[in-house]
Amino acid sequence: MTAPVVRGYERYAAQAAQWTRGYESRGGHVYCGAGCFACCDMPIRVSLAEAIITAQAITPEQARRVEEHARAVQANARTAPDEDAYVARHREDVSFCPLLDRATGSCSQYAARPTRCRDTFSAFAAHYCAVGTWESMGRRERAEYRREVARTPGTDGEVHFIAPLEHLSEPIWTAASRAMRSQWGLEVWGDFWTLTTLAADPAFMARVVAGDRRGAAGRARQLGLGHPITLEME
């Protein structure tokens, strides 16, 4: 199940490095680097195939913290009035990923991180990735931000993240989708911490492997991890 995703990670790393070298040779700049973690409080959507990779890599103590984080995500999902509030409250209240080492600004499971953590790169300084930056801007600052984004190569013209590096990761999502559909007869997607916790639950995984969508959903609800915002089965 995980082999096609791991191969996708490897291909993406090589392709992204090649693209970045060309981008920087043309005067572009990627601001992300070691110790930068301003985006590590964002909600992350993953496939169950990716979550299995992380679940197999983390320690028991990390698994405990991931589950605690997943339950905070569930509480936010149950009470957020809309998607914007869900995202804002995730960043402000649920806060940083428990696999982040805040002392060093590094990911403690860097090799097992999911696609969204791999393909998010910024063409602006980390300040612009931090929660509250946009909200604290005045009208003139927002207008200048939009102008700067529009004239910065590599962005989509609307936000400062580097679009081509996100597009290059799409084959990983496709590989995960095909692997899940081929082996289980269904696809499971959702919140990173929720799926990482569920991936370690034998009863949930037994139902998934059997292609039992209803049974898997029931087991997730039994565990308190079955909210539709954080768990999708197709």
Side-chain angles (χ1 to χ4, degrees), residues 130-171:
V131 62
T133 297
W134 173 259
E135 291 76 10
S136 67
M137 288 182 183
R139 182 179 301 176
R140 289 185 179 179
E141 290 176 300
R142 291 186 179 190
E144 178 55 31
Y145 170 86
R146 292 189 180 100
R147 285 192 292 270
E148 190 63 27
V149 167
R151 61 176 172 247
T152 299
T155 73
D156 63 1
E158 297 182 2
V159 294
H160 62 278
F161 295 108
I162 299 176
L165 289 173
E166 291 186 5
H167 299 328
L168 280 174
S169 71
E170 291 173 5

Side-chain angles (χ1 to χ4, degrees), residues 3-21:
V5 175
V6 172
R7 289 194 296 269
Y9 287 164
E10 293 169 351
R11 286 193 299 271
Y12 176 78
Q15 292 170 347
Q18 182 179 14
W19 185 91
T20 300
R21 286 193 295 270

Side-chain angles (χ1 to χ4, degrees), residues 45-120:
R45 184 176 185 270
V46 302
S47 65
L48 181 55
E50 293 175 275
I52 291 171
I53 293 171
T54 305
Q56 291 174 342
I58 59 178
T59 67
E61 172 57 23
Q62 287 175 328
R64 185 195 64 77
R65 296 202 305 268
V66 166
E67 180 177 353
E68 185 177 88
H69 200 78
R71 296 198 178 282
V73 170
Q74 299 300 308
N76 182 29
R78 288 194 298 270
T79 57
D82 53 44
E83 184 177 353
D84 288 343
Y86 172 78
V87 172
R89 292 185 349 182
H90 189 287
R91 301 200 72 188
E92 294 167 0
D93 301 329
V94 180
S95 196
F96 289 99
C97 176
L99 298 180
L100 170 68
D101 182 340
R102 296 286 295 276
T104 63
S106 62
C107 176
S108 63
Q109 290 292 346
Y110 190 75
R113 71 198 189 284
T115 302
R116 188 52 67 209
C117 297
R118 294 169 187 266
D119 71 359
T120 300

